[in-house]
Amino acid sequence: MRQRQPGVGMTGFASLPPVAAAEPARHEIDALQDIHVILSGVRFALLTGAGLSTDSGIPDYRGPGSAPRAPMTYQEFIGEPGNRQRYWARNHLGWSHLRRADPNDGHAAVARLEHRGLLTGLITQNVDRLHEEAGSQNVVDLHGRFDQVVCLDCFRRYSRRMLAGVLEELNPGFLERAAAAGIIEMAPDADATIEDAELIESFVVAHCPACAGTLKPDFVYFGENVPKDRVERSYAMVDAAGALLVAGSSLTVMSGLRFVRHAAKHGKSVVIINRGPTRGDDLATVKLDAGVSEALTWLAQELPPL
């Protein structure tokens, strides 16, 4: 059995190239044959989660072997200027040390499924934009995207790459001081661990260039609601589908689980492919505990055209 990459990256970033998908095991192919029967002859909606991006070097949140984590909530971020200072100091450090991740074979398989007309649409809980980079087009970035920041006051959006340059100008020598202290430890949520309070307190936070308002990464924090238009568009994809396929999500948060419940309520088949249990297992027509990239690559090869 091949070894997966260690969790060395953060959301949207990695320091190793993607792992190629291996052939599914014999018992996995038996389950994939059952999935093949369910998905053949219908267009289906696809919901993806962090388990799809692990082969791109991006650690997931709740999969087997994932370290416990306590990400900053939306309420914490907006509640205290010191929390925003700590967040942006850590984020600036993480951004500077890791490069963009590359799509893996699972992302490529999803793009092929779409290009062959088999999908009503793609809903992803990931913010890494790897689906778009692999060629997928009809995508709902349910939780937002890592490569943008948004002003909470005037709602203008800016490139995260642009913000990196602004933060570098506001904090000359910060990255060098952090590196010299030897305190860099990457976390899985576009973050880096810094325990040096003095270093954090020296960090100057950037504000919106247009209105001097509060800037926030353009993804949904814990404790923050998914925008209504994304939810409605996702429901429409499920309603137009003959089945729902979930790939690489534990469905721990309601933002994804609601679509499984919606599909099951309306009599649609639900297929779940994920390493480990999910909150939707009791609603699944078929649940396959397997590598997501391998399974999606197999399906993209074997499912017949409509």
Side-chain angles (χ1 to χ4, degrees):
M1 181 177 179
R2 71 185 175 89
Q3 296 296 312
R4 292 182 172 275
Q5 287 187 13
V8 297
M10 61 183 182
T11 304
F13 292 81
S15 57
L16 294 173
V19 172
E23 289 293 324
R26 180 67 257 175
H27 72 280
E28 294 172 345
I29 291 180
D30 292 340
L32 285 168
Q33 294 285 4
D34 294 335
I35 296 171
H36 184 280
V37 172
I38 293 171
L39 299 182
S40 292
V42 300
R43 296 178 73 216
F44 55 94
L46 177 58
L47 170 66
T48 66
L52 180 58
S53 292
T54 55
D55 281 345
S56 292
I58 302 173
D60 61 9
Y61 298 126
R62 301 176 184 89
S66 297
R69 55 188 300 273
M72 185 176 293
T73 67
Y74 179 72
Q75 291 73 22
E76 289 171 334
F77 182 85
I78 65 173
E80 294 289 341
N83 288 340
R84 293 191 290 276
Q85 183 184 45
R86 176 165 58 92
Y87 179 85
W88 282 117
R90 293 158 58 125
N91 184 276
H92 181 52
L93 181 59
W95 178 276
S96 71
H97 274 77
L98 301 174
R99 67 171 179 81
R100 275 293 309 277
D102 295 316
N104 61 52
D105 289 344
H107 296 105
V110 170
R112 290 199 301 275
L113 289 168
E114 181 185 17
H115 295 163
R116 294 174 59 205
L118 299 181
L119 301 183
T120 59
L122 168 61
I123 309 159
T124 184
Q125 296 174 293
N126 300 334
V127 300
D128 52 38
R129 300 286 288 174
L130 293 182
H131 280 300
E132 287 86 349
E133 204 166 308
S136 293
Q137 297 178 342
N138 188 18
V139 184
V140 174
D141 292 304
L142 193 64
H143 292 165
R145 45 191 291 183
F146 83 100
D147 61 342
Q148 291 184 163
V149 294
V150 61
C151 175
L152 297 179
D153 296 279
C154 71
F155 307 109
R156 287 181 173 86
R157 285 175 166 78
Y158 303 96
S159 161
R160 179 63 183 83
R161 186 177 298 277
M162 179 278 292
L163 180 62
V166 173
L167 291 174
E168 181 66 24
E169 291 180 4
L170 291 174
N171 298 277
F174 176 83
L175 298 177
E176 290 76 11
R177 294 197 306 275
I183 54 177
I184 301 168
E185 180 183 347
M186 299 305 163
D189 54 350
D191 199 0
T193 300
I194 306 175
E195 301 299 339
D196 190 314
E198 182 177 347
L199 187 63
I200 293 175
E201 290 171 1
S202 73
F203 192 80
V204 179
V205 176
H207 297 281
C208 175
C211 74
T214 299
L215 294 177
K216 170 188 165 295
D218 195 16
F219 49 77
V220 178
Y221 276 43
F222 288 88
E224 187 179 8
N225 292 323
V226 177
K228 184 178 179 181
D229 63 319
R230 296 180 201 167
V231 177
E232 291 177 344
R233 186 179 166 204
S234 299
Y235 274 129
M237 290 176 173
V238 177
D239 287 338
L244 172 64
L245 171 60
V246 178
S249 174
S250 64
L251 301 172
T252 299
V253 294
M254 185 55 66
S255 63
L257 180 61
R258 60 180 145 194
F259 302 117
V260 172
R261 291 179 172 175
H262 183 78
K265 178 181 178 181
H266 289 83
K268 301 178 188 289
S269 297
V270 175
V271 173
I272 298 176
I273 303 171
N274 189 63
R275 290 283 188 194
T278 82
R279 284 183 70 193
D281 287 354
D282 60 330
L283 299 174
T285 310
V286 175
K287 162 65 190 304
L288 172 59
D289 193 318
V292 180
S293 293
E294 292 90 335
L296 290 174
T297 298
W298 189 93
L299 289 170
Q301 292 171 346
E302 300 297 330
L303 282 174
L306 295 178

